[in-house]
Amino acid sequence: MEQTLSIIKPDAVKKGVIGKIIDRFESNGLRIAAMKKVQLSEQDAAEFYAVHKERPFFGELVEFMTSGPVVVMVLEGENAVAKNRELMGATNPKEAAPGTIRADFAESIDANAVHGSDSLENAKIEIAFFFAKREIV
Ligand SMILES: Nc1ncnc2c1ncn2[C@@H]1O[C@H](COP(=O)(O)OP(=O)(O)OP(=O)(O)O)[C@@H](O)[C@H]1O
């Protein structure tokens, strides 16, 4: 079964909507195969988002992702990568379709509530970044 990585970002954790976001996944056929709450260091965030190193918002992104704890999960289900992206909605919450996680819980393009792997290949890399094999059950 396909797996993808999801992160509930610091803005959503601070708002107290962890449970509401997890409910979207579980109600839509995505099972939680692994989960933990972590405080990312600057080094963690920079390494995780290394693909965005040259983007103008990289510094802000690292600062934001380390501004408080995050909840990291492995979601499993049919077409999990695409399904999760669909449930999340567009990167900019103002452009996110009604009923998506970002439309309902995100404030802005930087504080946008959730991250989801954008391809199966990246999902594998991102899952291995956070979880040991024995933690995924
Ligand atoms: N213009 C911007 N200003 C500030 N932050 C941005 C901007 N564009 C993107 N970001 C941040 O960088 C993250 C990664 O950007 P990307 O374009 O890969 O979006 P995404 O794939 O929808 O998001 P994610 O990788 O978090 O799932 C976004 O989720 C957002 O938090």
Side-chain angles (χ1 to χ4, degrees):
M1 196 64 89
E2 193 168 300
Q3 294 181 334
T4 189
L5 186 90
S6 167
I7 303 179
I8 302 179
K9 295 185 179 183
D11 57 319
V13 172
K14 282 195 189 110
K15 264 192 188 169
V17 293
I18 295 171
K20 286 184 176 152
I21 292 175
I22 288 176
D23 183 49
R24 300 286 174 101
F25 299 138
E26 292 192 318
S27 302
N28 287 280
L30 292 175
R31 190 182 74 80
I32 295 165
M35 176 162 69
K36 60 186 166 193
K37 191 179 188 194
V38 285
Q39 170 65 53
L40 298 179
S41 68
E42 256 182 53
Q43 195 184 330
D44 293 330
E47 201 179 322
F48 182 77
Y49 277 119
V51 288
H52 296 310
K53 210 166 52 205
E54 307 305 328
R55 309 271 286 269
F57 56 82
F58 182 71
E60 283 167 61
L61 181 58
V62 169
E63 196 181 324
F64 170 66
M65 289 301 287
T66 57
S67 66
V70 296
V71 174
V72 194
M73 283 168 286
V74 175
L75 303 177
E76 187 177 272
E78 225 169 277
N79 299 317
V81 172
K83 182 90 209 172
N84 180 37
R85 301 282 297 182
E86 184 189 318
L87 294 173
M88 285 162 57
T91 308
N92 185 346
K94 291 186 182 73
E95 290 161 14
T100 60
I101 293 168
R102 282 169 167 162
D104 291 344
F105 303 118
E107 301 307 326
S108 61
I109 193 160
D110 47 317
N112 64 359
V114 279
H115 162 82
S117 310
D118 62 4
S119 66
L120 197 50
E121 191 192 354
N122 282 336
K124 291 195 170 117
I125 296 168
E126 293 180 359
I127 289 169
F129 182 83
F130 281 109
F131 293 100
K133 277 222 162 67
R134 66 175 176 281
E135 295 178 302
I136 306 167
V137 290

